[in-house]
Structure formats: structure tokens, C-alpha cells
Amino acid sequence: MSTPMRGLTVFIADIRNCRVRELEEKRINKEMANIRAKFKDGNLNGYQKKKYVCKLLYMYILGWDIDFGHMEAVHLISSHKYSEKQIGYLAVTLLMHENSDLVRLVVNSIKKDLEENNEIFNCLALHAIANIGGREMAESLATDVHRLLISPASKGFVKKKAALTLLRMYRKHPDVIPAADWAERVIQLIDDLDLGVALCVTSLIMALAQDNLEAYLGCYEKAVDRLKKLVVEKEYSLDYVYYKVPIPWLQIKLLRLLQYYPPSDDERVRAKLHDVLQAILDLSQETPKNVQHNNAQNAVLFEAINLAIHLDTESQIVNQAAVLLGRFITSKETNVRYLGLETMAHLAACVDSLEPIKKHQDTILLSLRDKDISVRRRGLDLLYSMCDVTNAKAIVAELLRYLNIADYGLREEMVLKIAILTERFATEYQWYVDIILQLISTAGDHVGEEVWYRVVQIVTNNEELQEYAARTVLIHLRSVSCHESLVKVGGYILGEFGHLIANISGASALEQFHAIHSKFGSCTLQTRALLLTTYIKFVNLFPEIKGDILSVFNQYRHVLDAELQQRAAEYLAIATMPTDDLLQTVCEEMPPFPERESALLSRLHQQHSDTEDKRTWIIGGKDVNKERESLRMSSLITRNGSSDSKKTNGHLTTHNGSTSSNGGSTSSNGNINGSNGYGDVDLLGFGDLDLNSEITESPTTMTITSQRGVLPAGCITPGSEQWFGKLVYTTEGVIYEDTQILIRLKSEYHGHMGRIALYFTNKTQIKITSFTTVIEHIENVIITTPGPPSTIPLSGQIQQLFHIECHNTFTGSPNIRVSFIAGIPVYTIGLRLPVVIAKFIEPIELNGTDFFARWKQIGGGHREAQKVFKSTYPIDVVNGGIRKLVSGFRFGILEGVDPNPSNVVGASVLHTSKSGMIGCLMRLEPNVEAQMYRLTVRTTNEIVTQELCTLLEDRLTNDKL
């Protein structure tokens, strides 16, 4: 079929689909009107209510909004007929969210059904609690659910559902469940005759015990006894045998549960456990009959090996397991290789001697080239854990070679691990410098800021390293392709230690300056700011090139960027003073950085955060795991819950981005402020700092946390805007991060409704308490806020879901205030939520004729906004960045409408619940040579016109596309 014919076919299909949609909408509206009238009459019997609620549910499942019928569903729940009650519960769970005002109306009905002697009614009520799961429901009904779980009169299937419902409530609202008080009665159910009940209760205990180790200590011996009955004594019914393996899911959970506790001191218990583990290893030698048998057998075996490693790495069972693991990592089955590498990484993280694992080093290195990325990840984890002084150079060299061809999703983690291993096991300073600079040069954009911060810190603190680092980085700066992170390192090191190599041939002051300045024009504004500080250092160190540098300062006194302009003007003033006294004072050499934990480790541990079933070990060596285990046990078993966080007083110096005590451009000791290029801390309101504030991150001060931590209402935390801008036209990403907490956001919008999920990750070494979130609402935007958990466990994460409704047009965006206690009295963060008017528009497709017809119909005047503005970055119309941004603002891109292919034309419809739909059209004309845009927006509402134009202009001006 020719291209025109295909296009015609698609066009006809679109018309047909639109017609079908219109007919469906008419039928739906007619049916809704009929149902609404029936409900309004109020003369319906139970069957009729059930019938009409079913129709509403069907329309809801098709995607139509249902804003009535909720009360009829609530009435159905109170019915004594199963069919009516079932539909009522189904409607409630589908149509109501946990913060709905109607939820409290169904709590009493659910409570009555929980107290009934009818097991079917009990189960319907439990389903509703688990599916809706709000705080109010948990507080009111948790005790009743617990009663059903422990009651001798409850049937087995009711107990199973009760256990899983409690698990759901605990995961959402752990502070509501009195876990410690219920421990004794819940633990007894591990011995239940019904293996299904034992399985569900074990899942519940695993969650409760992780946060209440001491209270649930009694489950240890119960779990061992149950395992012995299953594995050794073979006490189980045939209903629970899965391909000749007795209830493998329960075995796995019990084996994992035992890993949360230290090995028992009771010899009798240890003997039982040894028999269980030995029996599992012996059974694993049987030839599997099929794939399912093999999977179940291996799942139990690997968890048993993990438990054996946890109990004693020198035991005979672990020695047998090590031999098995050597075979598993060469298996033809991907799943077996994966589990073998992961379990061997556990062994490497706990064992005293790595020699048995090093025998398989070549095989492990080959796993980096496995066809499955999950296997490659586990191979990387194992190499990281098994690395020591003897094999560090070989492993790091292989990782660097593999980095060039590694998956993009794997590169950032590889960079972190290479940097950590190089620092940890370096025996020669020259090797460390060579590897790190090669890493930065090779990895490019995948090198996080923490990597070059750490290089700067180590070079500054080691005099014997400084000259070699300066020579090496100068060589890299002269290469044709030099990544910006390498330019930052070069700017810092040459600014501080360039004088050490100035007398070497090819490294004179002028040659150093030219090497750096050749990269100046292609760098971002932040890097240019850092290099300006390097230049003022050169003026102090090398007066012979002062003229070349002053011309640069004079040129940048007039740029648009306030940070660059201020630095250039102030540095020019200092450099042209009659005497050099002030210049020498502010350009004093950097003092050594205070010793502190590497930020690389913190960043790496964030990427291996715990799931709901927390890891019992972390990727790394034995020392790391011993420290983690002692911290975990002291905080959980002794219920200490908090400890003094380590505070380090950072120096207020140059090049590390520090701030002054008086708000000026120089600090109290004369050193230049913010010379790493991140000077926006002063511009954003940190000019007048308390000298007792805590300076975090090394070596640059990315986050400055006041010990008071209190933020006035309506204020935004300085620096948080850097994340907000990107999220205006994307659906997920980081919305805030500092040394205390990481906040990530995911969002979705449909018409005038939307929802946002915020994930709060505790980055501190203590439990976060008194955690609250408050929305500062704006007019015409309704946001329902969940009741937040009051704590975030150590290295844990919680989630909050916000439902959003756009009632009418609005401007700006709402704020959210996050408050908590983590070692300081009260810490408050103010953030802008990326809820803007553009989030509630939906893209539409128009042909050229329809577009221009609507364009003329809307007309100009107040309904049109046109702006001509300059972009901060060069405009690239080839790679589609502009179109991606416009699509992110939810405009449908109309191809072929504008005769200039570089121009972007878009159409969309804004949805509001009160004002209906508002048509939105836009046209963007980029001028690549002049680095400018002309943006024209037309909508049927002047408020929307101005707001959309402002939002688009802001992002097009400031984002690199």
C-alpha cells in the first residue's frame, strides 16, 4: 500500500474512533442521567440498587468519572444478602480512596461484619480494609482484625486473610499497630496445623520483627522447630507439596526470618538448625525432575546457604556451599547464575578469607559480559565485595575496560564502585590519580559530583600527591575531548598547586592558563564560576599572566548571569588594587579537609536501599557488614532508637564552595567565597550564616544545614528550585536531596485529576521521628493529604500519595512543608510541588486546516501571548530536545502544519472540573544563529494564556535541550 493510501487509512480509522467515542459518551451520559434519577427517587429495592451500582462500576472501569452513587454502595454493605454486600464492598474499594470523606461511613459497617459469625462476611470486610487501607480505618479496625487472627473460632481462610490484612496496615501505618503487645499471641500461630495460616503469619512476623527484634525473639525457636518438622520429620500434608518440595514459600520465609537475629546460644537449637541446613543441602543433590522442581529446590537451597553464612562462615556447611556456588556461577541457566553470584557476594561480604572465592575470579569477570543485565549487576556486586589489596589492580583494570561497553543503567554504579575500590586499596598515589582521572575521562556524564569532590579532598590532604596530580591533570586538559568534570578537577588542582609544576617544560603559567581557558567556552555556568576563581588564584601565583586574566574578568563583568558577573567584577577589583595584600590574603592555600566518611559510600548505599524485607547484609567487605550489624542490633534490640549524629565542622575556605560569615564575597579569614562555581547559596539567602551551622558533603558544601532548621511558613528551602524546574515537564525524579533526606516524586494526570507519590528516604544514621507534611494550598486546586507516618526507620523509606483535582484556572504552584527530627530539634523543608496548570492539559491531534481555523477563532488580544527571548544554552533542533520539552508540557506536536520544519506547533485541551475544557494552541520558532526563540500561545482563557507562556519561556530559557 502506498504512503498516501496508508495515511488515508489511518485518517479514516481516527475518524471512526472519534465517532465511536462520541457515541459511547452520549450513551454513557444518558445512562448516568437515568441512574441519577433512579437514585434520587429513593424507591429502589436492594436488587435494583445492586444493578445500578454494577452499571456505575462498569462505566468506571471503562475510564469514565463517577461522582455519585457512593451512598448507595454504602447502603449495600449493610445488606444481609451476600450478592448485595459483595457489590457494595466492590464499589467502595473501587470508588473510594483512603482519604475520602465517605470512608468513615463504612467503618461501622465493616466493624459489624468483622464481628459477625459469618466467615464470608468477615472475608469481605478484610478485603475492603486491605484495599482501602487508610489511617482512620487502621486505627478503628486493627484490634478487630487482630482478634479474628488469634481467635480459636476463626476458620483457617479467615486467619490467612486477617494476617495479610494486618501486614498491609502495618506497612502503610506502622505507628498504628501495637506490634510489641501482640507478639506473644501472633508467634504461637507459626505452629498452626494449617500450613497456609503458618505461611501468612510468617509473612506478618517478618515485617513486625524487623522493627521489634526483642519483642519477637520467641519466634526464633518456633521457626527452627517448624523447619525441622517440614524438612527433617516431613510433617506436612500433600496439598502443600510443590513439585516434591514441601511448601517452599514457608521454608524460604522461615530461613530469612532467622537471619534477622544473631545465632542462638542454645546448643539444642543450634543442633536442630544444623540438621535442617544439612538436610536441605543433601536434598539439593537430587536430580530435578523438571524446571519447576529445580526452581523450588534452588530457591530453598540458596536461602539456606545465606542462613548458614549468617550463622558461621567457617562451618562445614558453608564449605560445602562454597563448592556448590562455584558450580552454580557457571550454570547454563540464567536464574541459577544470578542466585549463585548473589549468594557468593554474601559470602564475600562476611567471610574472613577470600581465597576460596578468588579461585573463581576469571569466571566472575566473565559474568560482566553476560547477556542478562541482572547477572551483570550481581557480577559487579561480587567483584566489589571480593576486592582486596592483592587483586584490586586487576579488578579495577577490568572494570575500567568494561565501562566503555557497559549498559547506561549500570555505568553510574560502576563509577562509584571503581572510585571507592581505587581509594580503599591504592598502594601508590600515582596509581590512584591515574585511575581516577581515567575514570572521569571515560565515564563522562555518569560521573557523579561526589567522585570529583573526593579527588579534590584527597589531593589537598596529601602533599606527596599534589605535584603529580597537577602534571597529570594538565595532560588531560590538553586532550581534544575533555569532560566537564575533568575540567572542574583541573581548575581546582591547578589553581591550588599549579605553581608546583610551573618550572617544568610545557607547564608554564601561560600554558596552564591556555589549557584551562580553551575549555572555558564549552562549560556550564557553574563550571565557569569555578574557573574564574582559578584565574584569580593564577593572578596571585603568576603575576606575569595578569594581563591575560584581567581581560577575561573585564569581559565577564557584563554577562547576564548574576553569579559570573559578580565574581568577575569582584575579582577584577581585587586584582587591580594598588597593593597585593588583599589578593594574597583571600588566595591563601587551602588547608587540609577534615577527615570524614566518604560521600561515595553514602551515595552507593542509597542505590542498595532495603525493600520491605530488609537485607541482612550489604554489598561490601566484612568490616562494612560488621559495622552495619552492630549498629542495627544496638538500635533495634536495645531500642535505643537514636544516637548523636556525627558532626564535622567544615572549614570556610575557597574552592570548596563555602560561605562567608558576613554575607560578603569573602569569608572572615579572607578566603574567597564559593569558588567551586556553586555560589548560588549566597544569592539564595544564605548570606548571613550562623558560624555554628553544620556544613555537610565533601569536599564542596552542596548543602548547608542550619542547626535550628526552622523555615518560616510560605518560604522555600534555598537551592530546591534546581529540581522543581525539570519536574514541571517530567513525571518523575528527585524533588529534594540533602544529607538528611532524599525525596523522590512520581506523578500521573488524567483530565482534571492527578496524583503524586512522594518517596521519603532516610539518609541519616538514626531514625527520623515526628515526621509531618503540610500542603500550603492555592486557589482552585484541591489536594487531599494522607496522614503521614510519624517515623522513618534507619536507611528506610516511606511513601505518601496525594490526590489532586483542578477545579478552575490557577497560577503558580502549591508548596509543601516537610518537618521532622533527626538529631537536631526540628528540621523543616519548604518545597514547591510541580503542580502547574500545564499538568491538567491533554494533547490532541489536529490537521493543518483545523489548527488554523481554531487559531483564527481564538483570535488575538488578551487571549494571545507572544514573547521573544534568548536561550542560556545553544539551541539544538536536530536531536528533538525542544519537541520533548513541549510534549512534556502535554502539548500534542502537530507535524507538517508549519512550513518551517524547525518550528514546533502544538495543540491541547485544559481540563477543569468547574469551567470545563479550554483549548490551548502554541507555536515556537527557534533561531539557532541568534540563540533566541519566539513563542506564541493562544488559549480561550487569558489567565491560562499568560501562565502557559510564562512556564514555557522559563524552561526554554534555562534548560539545556
Side-chain angles (χ1 to χ4, degrees):
M1 186 183 294
S2 64
T3 301
M5 287 299 295
R6 280 201 303 269
L8 180 60
T9 302
V10 172
F11 178 70
I12 294 172
D14 289 342
I15 293 176
R16 186 182 294 114
N17 291 336
C18 291
R19 181 60 178 163
V20 170
R21 185 69 175 176
E22 289 175 2
L23 292 174
E24 182 181 325
E25 185 173 1
K26 288 181 180 179
R27 177 65 186 275
I28 292 291
N29 290 336
K30 180 179 178 181
E31 194 65 34
M32 280 190 180
N34 178 49
I35 296 172
R36 195 189 298 269
K38 295 288 185 182
F39 285 164
K40 193 172 183 180
D41 291 342
N43 296 322
L44 302 178
N45 57 32
Y47 171 78
Q48 291 171 320
K49 283 183 182 178
K50 180 184 70 171
K51 179 179 71 173
Y52 290 124
V53 169
C54 281
K55 287 186 176 184
L56 288 177
L57 290 179
Y58 180 69
M59 288 185 278
Y60 176 79
I61 292 171
L62 288 177
W64 299 95
D65 291 333
I66 304 299
D67 57 359
F68 68 98
H70 299 75
M71 289 304 300
E72 283 68 22
V74 173
H75 294 155
L76 285 174
I77 290 178
S78 304
S79 173
H80 292 288
K81 290 185 178 180
Y82 170 75
S83 60
E84 295 174 7
K85 187 182 288 287
Q86 181 193 32
I87 295 301
Y89 273 119
L90 179 61
V92 166
T93 54
L94 283 176
L95 300 179
M96 294 184 189
H97 55 79
E98 62 181 63
N99 297 306
S100 173
D101 293 334
L102 296 174
V103 166
R104 59 175 57 93
L105 297 178
V106 302
V107 169
N108 288 333
S109 298
I110 293 176
K111 192 177 184 69
K112 289 179 181 178
D113 286 335
L114 291 176
E115 294 171 351
E116 287 279 350
N117 293 325
N118 188 323
E119 293 87 0
I120 302 299
F121 289 2
N122 295 159
C123 292
L124 287 174
L126 291 171
H127 288 163
I129 298 170
N131 279 283
I132 299 175
R135 172 173 289 272
E136 183 174 353
M137 191 173 283
E139 290 174 344
S140 303
L141 302 173
T143 304
D144 297 282
V145 177
H146 175 252
R147 177 184 51 77
L148 276 179
L149 174 63
I150 64 175
S151 172
S154 295
K155 297 288 175 111
F157 64 89
V158 176
K159 288 184 178 181
K160 288 191 286 186
K161 295 182 188 300
L164 296 178
T165 302
L166 278 178
L167 177 60
R168 164 75 168 161
M169 287 194 289
Y170 182 75
R171 284 174 174 170
K172 288 206 70 176
H173 308 288
D175 55 310
V176 172
I177 307 299
D181 298 337
W182 293 352
E184 185 176 354
R185 297 295 298 274
V186 173
I187 289 172
Q188 300 301 321
L189 293 173
I190 294 180
D191 289 332
D192 197 280
L193 294 176
D194 188 330
L195 288 176
V197 173
L199 175 60
C200 295
V201 168
T202 303
S203 300
L204 174 62
I205 292 175
M206 285 179 69
L208 300 177
Q210 289 172 27
D211 301 323
N212 303 272
L213 282 177
E214 187 178 20
Y216 285 84
L217 185 60
C219 72
Y220 194 93
E221 189 170 352
K222 291 278 186 186
V224 173
D225 290 338
R226 189 88 214 202
L227 278 169
K228 186 176 181 182
K229 290 177 182 178
L230 288 172
V231 179
V232 180
E233 300 172 359
K234 302 187 183 301
E235 292 185 14
Y236 49 82
S237 64
L238 294 179
D239 295 339
Y240 287 95
V241 177
Y242 179 81
Y243 291 93
K244 295 189 176 182
V245 181
I247 192 165
W249 311 278
L250 178 57
Q251 289 190 54
I252 292 166
K253 288 181 181 293
L254 291 172
L255 291 168
R256 171 61 67 89
L257 177 61
L258 294 175
Q259 294 174 56
Y260 296 148
Y261 290 91
S264 174
D265 295 329
D266 190 330
E267 288 297 331
R268 183 177 55 85
V269 175
R270 293 172 69 94
K272 288 181 185 178
L273 199 49
H274 179 273
D275 293 341
V276 169
L277 295 176
Q278 188 63 58
I280 292 174
L281 256 65
D282 293 341
L283 290 171
S284 70
Q285 305 305 312
E286 296 180 3
T287 304
K289 304 298 182 183
N290 49 47
V291 175
Q292 290 85 355
H293 181 200
N294 187 38
N295 289 340
Q297 185 175 277
N298 285 336
V300 176
L301 173 62
F302 282 111
E303 203 60 61
I305 294 174
N306 281 322
L307 176 58
I309 294 170
H310 173 74
L311 295 174
D312 183 8
T313 56
E314 303 300 322
S315 67
Q316 183 61 34
I317 291 179
V318 173
N319 292 335
Q320 295 177 45
V323 177
L324 288 174
L325 292 175
R327 295 207 309 265
F328 287 143
I329 64 175
T330 59
S331 171
K332 293 181 180 180
E333 295 184 37
T334 302
N335 288 341
V336 175
R337 290 199 305 277
Y338 176 94
L339 291 170
L341 290 167
E342 183 180 48
T343 309
M344 193 174 278
H346 184 190
L347 181 60
C350 302
V351 75
D352 289 322
S353 174
L354 293 169
E355 293 306 318
I357 300 174
K358 289 180 184 177
K359 295 176 183 177
H360 308 287
Q361 183 168 311
D362 292 339
T363 304
I364 298 166
L365 288 171
L366 285 176
S367 68
L368 291 176
R369 288 168 171 78
D370 195 277
K371 61 183 178 181
D372 191 291
I373 187 173
S374 59
V375 174
R376 297 197 291 272
R377 286 185 184 277
R378 297 292 77 82
L380 175 61
D381 293 341
L382 177 51
L383 287 170
Y384 177 73
S385 296
M386 64 181 283
C387 191
D388 62 14
V389 177
T390 62
N391 61 4
K393 288 189 176 181
I395 290 178
V396 168
E398 182 62 30
L399 290 177
L400 274 174
R401 279 194 294 272
Y402 176 64
L403 186 60
N404 291 314
I405 58 172
D407 303 82
Y408 282 92
L410 200 58
R411 288 190 181 184
E412 184 177 356
E413 183 180 343
M414 285 191 69
V415 167
L416 283 173
K417 288 181 176 176
I418 292 171
I420 292 169
L421 293 178
T422 306
E423 178 184 337
R424 183 181 293 168
F425 300 114
T427 55
E428 304 168 8
Y429 285 120
Q430 293 183 359
W431 179 74
Y432 171 79
V433 171
D434 291 340
I435 293 296
I436 290 296
L437 294 183
Q438 183 184 347
L439 175 65
I440 296 175
S441 178
T442 303
D445 295 332
H446 300 279
V447 177
E449 299 284 75
E450 298 87 352
V451 175
W452 78 266
Y453 295 165
R454 191 64 175 168
V455 176
V456 163
Q457 181 180 345
I458 290 175
V459 171
T460 303
N461 288 9
N462 295 277
E463 290 186 11
E464 58 271 36
L465 189 58
Q466 293 164 1
E467 181 181 344
Y468 183 78
R471 279 192 284 113
T472 308
V473 80
L474 182 59
I475 295 172
H476 281 276
L477 285 173
R478 285 173 172 159
S479 63
V480 177
S481 59
C482 181
H483 192 266
E484 188 166 335
S485 295
L486 202 54
V487 176
K488 295 175 184 177
V489 175
Y492 179 94
I493 291 178
L494 292 181
E496 292 295 329
F497 313 114
H499 62 283
L500 298 177
I501 62 170
N503 296 325
I504 299 175
S505 176
S508 65
L510 188 60
E511 288 170 314
Q512 291 183 39
F513 171 69
H514 285 161
I516 295 177
H517 198 59
S518 64
K519 308 293 189 271
F520 190 90
S522 59
C523 294
T524 62
L525 297 176
Q526 293 176 336
T527 304
R528 293 184 193 182
L530 182 150
L531 295 182
L532 287 180
T533 303
T534 300
Y535 296 165
I536 192 65
K537 292 272 189 176
F538 278 175
V539 171
N540 182 50
L541 294 173
F542 312 118
E544 63 271 22
I545 62 171
K546 181 176 180 179
D548 298 279
I549 294 174
L550 290 183
S551 65
V552 176
F553 288 157
N554 192 54
Q555 176 186 354
Y556 277 84
R557 281 192 306 155
H558 308 289
V559 295
L560 294 178
D561 184 71
E563 175 71 12
L564 286 178
Q565 184 185 100
Q566 181 179 354
R567 286 180 185 241
E570 293 183 359
Y571 293 166
L572 181 65
I574 293 173
T576 54
M577 284 184 173
T579 65
D580 292 339
D581 294 343
L582 181 58
L583 175 65
Q584 293 174 2
T585 301
V586 299
C587 293
E588 288 178 354
E589 187 174 328
M590 279 282 293
F593 287 96
E595 291 300 327
R596 63 185 72 177
E597 181 187 0
S598 171
L600 300 179
L601 286 171
S602 301
R603 178 65 177 273
L604 182 63
H605 292 162
Q606 289 173 28
Q607 298 187 355
H608 298 287
S609 58
D610 289 335
T611 59
E612 288 171 339
D613 293 334
K614 295 183 174 61
R615 297 178 68 99
T616 57
W617 58 282
I618 58 174
I619 297 165
K622 183 177 181 180
D623 294 339
V624 177
N625 279 276
K626 275 188 173 180
E627 182 180 350
R628 178 184 189 267
E629 186 66 13
S630 61
L631 179 62
R632 188 173 73 93
M633 291 302 173
S634 64
S635 62
L636 290 177
I637 294 183
T638 65
R639 295 176 180 242
N640 203 6
S642 62
S643 61
D644 293 334
S645 57
K646 296 179 181 178
K647 292 183 169 62
T648 308
N649 293 325
H651 290 279
L652 298 176
T653 51
T654 70
H655 272 301
N656 68 339
S658 54
T659 19
S660 64
S661 59
N662 58 4
S665 61
T666 56
S667 64
S668 58
N669 64 357
N671 284 345
I672 298 170
N673 170 32
S675 57
N676 70 336
Y678 297 101
D680 25 339
V681 286
D682 278 341
L683 299 176
L684 291 171
F686 277 120
D688 189 10
L689 278 179
D690 185 352
L691 287 178
N692 292 324
S693 64
E694 179 186 352
I695 300 180
T696 57
E697 295 286 349
S698 60
T700 56
T701 306
M702 293 298 293
T703 306
I704 301 180
T705 306
S706 169
Q707 290 180 343
R708 293 185 296 271
V710 178
L711 193 72
C715 292
I716 301 300
T717 297
S720 63
E721 290 285 335
Q722 61 176 305
W723 294 288
F724 173 85
K726 190 76 173 177
L727 290 170
V728 167
Y729 60 95
T730 56
T731 58
E732 62 182 56
V734 174
I735 189 172
Y736 183 78
E737 183 178 13
D738 61 16
T739 54
Q740 309 281 337
I741 196 167
L742 168 67
I743 307 176
R744 291 183 176 274
L745 175 144
K746 289 187 178 181
S747 63
E748 61 177 0
Y749 293 84
H750 300 285
H752 67 280
M753 301 295 291
R755 60 179 180 176
I756 286 179
L758 292 181
Y759 300 86
F760 301 87
T761 303
N762 182 358
K763 294 176 61 177
T764 68
Q765 296 303 310
I766 58 176
K767 181 168 63 175
I768 285 179
T769 60
S770 301
F771 182 89
T772 59
T773 54
V774 178
I775 298 290
E776 297 174 359
H777 293 273
I778 60 175
E779 189 176 359
N780 292 327
V781 178
I782 306 302
I783 303 179
T784 58
T785 309
S790 59
T791 62
I792 308 179
L794 170 68
S795 300
Q797 183 186 82
I798 62 170
Q799 172 191 344
Q800 288 191 356
L801 191 64
F802 302 83
H803 293 270
I804 308 164
E805 183 177 359
C806 175
H807 275 203
N808 211 331
T809 59
F810 66 97
T811 59
S813 59
N815 297 339
I816 182 172
R817 291 170 55 79
V818 182
S819 302
F820 55 86
I821 295 175
I824 55 178
V826 177
Y827 188 74
T828 306
I829 302 166
L831 304 174
R832 290 180 66 191
L833 276 180
V835 180
V836 294
I837 195 73
K839 295 292 185 181
F840 300 95
I841 66 178
E842 298 281 358
I844 59 172
E845 290 292 331
L846 296 174
N847 57 34
T849 304
D850 291 341
F851 175 82
F852 288 113
R854 295 193 184 189
W855 184 270
K856 292 178 181 178
Q857 184 180 5
I858 294 174
H862 295 299
R863 293 182 173 185
E864 178 185 286
Q866 186 175 89
K867 293 188 179 181
V868 178
F869 52 91
K870 189 175 180 65
S871 172
T872 305
Y873 299 95
I875 297 175
D876 183 1
V877 297
V878 177
N879 295 321
I882 299 174
R883 279 171 162 72
K884 185 177 180 181
L885 183 142
V886 173
S887 297
F889 277 92
R890 303 171 70 80
F891 277 92
I893 304 296
L894 308 183
E895 301 293 351
V897 172
D898 197 297
N900 187 342
S902 297
N903 294 347
V904 181
V905 176
S908 61
V909 173
L910 170 66
H911 294 261
T912 65
S913 60
K914 287 188 176 180
S915 300
M917 296 185 289
I918 298 171
C920 306
L921 305 175
M922 61 80 61
R923 184 180 185 221
L924 179 65
E925 302 166 83
N927 187 326
V928 177
E929 291 74 20
Q931 200 173 317
M932 299 185 74
Y933 293 102
R934 180 166 68 181
L935 171 65
T936 308
V937 177
R938 286 189 181 185
T939 79
T940 54
N941 183 290
E942 61 183 72
I943 296 176
V944 177
T945 301
Q946 296 299 327
E947 186 68 2
L948 286 178
C949 191
T950 301
L951 290 170
L952 282 163
E953 179 192 10
D954 181 64
R955 292 299 95 211
L956 288 165
T957 302
N958 297 304
D959 285 6
K960 186 176 182 180
L961 304 176

